[in-house]
Structure formats: C-alpha cells, structure tokens
Amino acid sequence: MSLSVLGAIAPMPAPAFAAAAAAAAAAAAAAAAAPTTTPLTRRIPASGEAIPLVGLGTWITFNVGNDARARDACAEVVRAFFANGGRLIDSSPMYGSSQPVIGHALGKLGRLASLFSAEKVWTGDGARGAAQMEASRAHWGVPRFDLMQVHNLLAWEAHLPRLLAMKAEGRLRYVGITTSEGRRHGEVERIMKTQPIDFVQFTYNLVDREVEERLLPLAAERRIAVLANRPFREGELLRALQRHKLPGWAAELGCDGWAQAALKFIVSHPAVTCAIPATSQVAHVVQNLGAARGPMPDAALRARMAADVAALA
Ligand SMILES: NC(=O)c1ccc[n+]([C@@H]2O[C@H](COP(=O)([O-])OP(=O)(O)OC[C@H]3O[C@@H](n4cnc5c(N)ncnc54)[C@H](OP(=O)(O)O)[C@@H]3O)[C@@H](O)[C@H]2O)c1
C-alpha cells in the first residue's frame, strides 16, 4: 500500500471529590497540551493563505445557553483547539447560543491572532443581512470576520453583492456559500460557475460522497476553497463504525480510532481545504486535530477506505 505524506452513584466525600476534580483537570490539561508537530495545512486558492486541514464546527455542541459550567467547558474545547494548532471556527446565527459561547471562549483566551473566523448570514430578508452580521460580530467580539458565507443559499442573490462589496472595502477577507446533506447541488454548481466566491461549504464524508462527481472537481477547477461539513454525519457515522474493529490501513495511517480515519479520508481529497467536525469534548478536539498530522491516504487507499466503510456502516 502506498501512502502519501502531506500529522445511581453514592455521593463522593468532599476530599475525594476534590482529588478527582484535580485529576480530571490534570488529564484535560495533558490532553490539551501543545503537540510537537503542527497540523498539515492546505492553501486557500484565492489568496495562497494556508489553513490547517481540520477546523471546528459549533452547531448543537456549542448551543449550551447561559449555563456557566457548560460555557466554560466549551471554552476549554476552544483552548485545546488552539493549543493543538487549530485556526478555523465555523458558526451561524442559526446555531442558537453558539455565537455568544464562542465569544465567551475567545474572551477568556484573550485575542488570538491565529483565529480564522467563519460565519454565515442566514435571513430570507436581504435588507436584514447587514444588521445580522453586525450582531454576529458583536457576539464573537472580533473586529471583522475572515469568511462570511450565505447559509444554505438563503436569499443568496440579495446577500452576495453585499458580501462582495464588504470584501472590496476590507470588511471581510473571503466570501462563500453553504449547503449540506446533498441539498440544492445544482444551484450550488451554478453559483460556483458564475459568482466570484472564495469558499464553498457542503457535506462530504466516508459515506456521503456525491460531491466527488461534480462539486469537488469544479471547486478545484474554479480555484474555490472547500469546507467539508458533517464529517461524522452528526456523530451517527462514528457510532455505527465504533462497533467494528479498525481495518489494518488505519494503523498505517497512524489513526488512533475511527474519528481520525474518517477525517483523514476527507482531508486527503486534494480539493478539500478543511473539514469542520463539531465536538463538546476536549479529548475529541485533540483527536480530531490529530487527523491533520502524519501520513495521508493516496487515491487507491481512499477508494479502499470508502469500500470498507460501505460494507460496515
Ligand atoms: N448548511 C450548513 O452550513 C451546515 C450544515 C451542517 C453542518 N455545518 C457545520 O459543520 C459542522 C459539523 O457538522 P455537525 O455538527 O452536523 O456534525 P459532525 O461534526 O459530523 O458530528 C458532530 C458529532 O460528532 C461527535 N464527535 C466529534 N468528534 C468526535 C470524536 N473524535 N470521537 C467521537 N465522537 C466525536 C460529537 O460528539 P461530542 O460532542 O461527544 O464530541 C458530535 O455529536 C457544524 O457544527 C457546522 O459548523 C454547516
């Protein structure tokens, strides 16, 4: 095989509880400790800027409301994400409290020069787009967003001209569109062919591979960066695969489990710029960033990975 390298429980007594809490904190700190290698990156075609192959989604996982402990737990995920070389965080006004929770995390960590902020505009009323984006910016507490995407193509004809004008004025760095779960691919294709977008976001994973036919090749041809959403099918794919032993190729790729195998499959496609798994757990974000390190599968092995998983999942 050839590999290409591109990295009803009784209450606990108080002292025991304190010791357990300290041990848990130490374990979390160890898990989040900066690794010795930086993640592999891919360049955004429009600019040549390199970003790590794995980012962080925030749908559901960061929608924790006002609960202080839950918000702090999300902040620890963000801390571990940056400590392990992560940069791109993706959110949307659609994701409940996720935006203020990101802002809470960024506020605790201090201003992070390495942050690559990916947001969305999500309103059917074009006239409301500007106010919504400004509210999102205030939630994050950033001076401007790096990437603004039209969420699920909603009113894209109204939003896109504004986003392109904001980019021309230096108020955004990149403009994009999103879809998921195979929806409206014909329209996505038409926009990719006719509009000067920098990014496209759609679903791509070991079992949802329709985009290999047209959208991924088109992105490469049109020099559009690709964000791959739902890499684990909202966790369902991993739950199905975790019942099965890892195939031999996983060890050859340096994968510690199915999550890394699933991510390596996605980010080794040459047209993919970054996969954006969401997680609420420090150990998982460290694991996910680990998939942007070490050997990557070549085309022949990628085909075998997909065939093996199709037989299992
Ligand atoms: N139209 C759009 O624009 C659109 C649509 C869908 C998604 N998105 C973006 O894409 C992101 C990712 O998609 P998604 O949130 O639907 O689902 P996903 O990333 O495919 O799966 C998230 C689930 O996987 C679990 N998980 C993550 N890392 C894991 C690991 N290492 N081991 C085991 N389980 C793990 C998480 O549970 P734990 O919390 O326990 O880790 C969570 O339940 C979204 O958050 C959003 O930013 C955009």
Side-chain angles (χ1 to χ4, degrees), residues 57-59 61 90-91 95 120 151-152 178-180 201 229-235 238-239 242 259 276-281 284 287-288:
T58 59
W59 186 46
T61 48
D90 176 81
S91 196
Y95 301 167
K120 308 192 188 82
H151 197 156
N152 286 348
T178 81
T179 188
S180 68
Q201 180 183 149
N229 65 35
R230 293 177 58 84
F232 306 139
R233 280 190 149 185
E234 220 183 305
L238 295 183
R239 287 188 290 276
Q242 273 154 2
I276 49 171
T279 181
S280 58
Q281 300 193 43
H284 287 171
Q287 191 168 47
N288 296 346

Side-chain angles (χ1 to χ4, degrees), residues 22 69 109 137 194 271 275 280 296:
R69 287 174 71 150
L109 298 177
R137 192 199 61 71
T194 59
S280 58
M296 290 289 167

Side-chain angles (χ1 to χ4, degrees), residues 7 13 26 56-57 59 73-74 121 142 193-194 206 212 245 264 268:
L56 181 65
W59 186 46
C74 291
V121 58
V142 293
K193 283 179 172 161
T194 59
L206 270 162
E212 288 175 356
K245 195 170 164 283
K264 285 202 177 213
S268 59

Side-chain angles (χ1 to χ4, degrees), residues 20-281:
T36 50
T37 58
T38 53
L40 297 167
T41 59
R42 192 158 282 136
R43 292 189 185 280
I44 299 166
S47 64
E49 176 183 5
I51 54 171
L53 289 171
V54 174
L56 181 65
T58 59
W59 186 46
I60 301 179
T61 48
F62 275 28
N63 183 17
V64 298
N66 287 323
D67 182 90
R69 287 174 71 150
R71 287 163 72 103
D72 286 347
C74 291
E76 290 311 307
V77 170
V78 175
R79 185 192 303 280
F81 177 69
F82 285 107
N84 282 267
R87 287 190 59 199
L88 187 150
I89 301 180
D90 176 81
S91 196
S92 168
M94 192 189 130
Y95 301 167
S97 58
S98 295
Q99 293 177 322
V101 168
I102 292 169
H104 172 72
L106 296 177
K108 281 185 84 165
L109 298 177
R111 187 143 170 206
L112 291 153
S114 60
L115 171 67
F116 189 105
S117 51
E119 253 299 338
K120 308 192 188 82
V121 58
W122 180 65
T123 168
D125 180 354
R128 286 196 58 239
Q132 185 183 71
M133 287 186 275
E134 178 52 24
S136 299
R137 192 199 61 71
H139 282 314
W140 283 59
V142 293
R144 65 174 179 173
F145 287 114
D146 293 297
L147 166 63
M148 184 59 69
Q149 308 154 97
V150 181
H151 197 156
N152 286 348
L153 309 185
L154 188 61
W156 69 266
E157 296 93 335
H159 297 307
L160 216 45
R162 176 180 286 114
L163 301 193
L164 293 168
M166 287 171 71
K167 180 184 165 188
E169 293 160 7
R171 294 161 61 208
L172 283 178
R173 297 175 63 227
Y174 303 103
V175 170
I177 56 169
T178 81
T179 188
S180 68
E181 297 165 78
R183 286 189 279 254
R184 295 167 73 182
H185 279 187
E187 199 168 359
V188 170
E189 184 174 340
R190 185 159 60 86
I191 297 169
M192 289 171 71
K193 283 179 172 161
T194 59
Q195 303 295 321
I197 56 173
D198 307 305
F199 275 80
V200 62
Q201 180 183 149
F202 43 63
T203 298
Y204 182 49
N205 59 48
L206 270 162
V207 289
D208 297 306
R209 298 173 52 215
E210 184 191 326
V211 292
E212 288 175 356
E213 297 297 317
R214 297 177 72 88
L215 297 189
L216 283 166
L218 181 61
E221 182 193 321
R222 297 276 299 166
R223 300 181 52 72
I224 299 170
V226 172
L227 299 185
N229 65 35
R230 293 177 58 84
F232 306 139
R233 280 190 149 185
E234 220 183 305
E236 174 202 317
L237 177 61
L238 295 183
R239 287 188 290 276
L241 290 172
Q242 273 154 2
R243 295 196 292 266
H244 303 282
K245 195 170 164 283
L246 273 173
W249 43 254
E252 294 182 43
L253 292 171
C255 297
D256 71 353
W258 279 108
Q260 290 191 345
L263 290 172
K264 285 202 177 213
F265 172 81
I266 296 167
V267 302
S268 59
H269 191 293
V272 171
T273 312
C274 177
I276 49 171
T279 181
S280 58
Q281 300 193 43

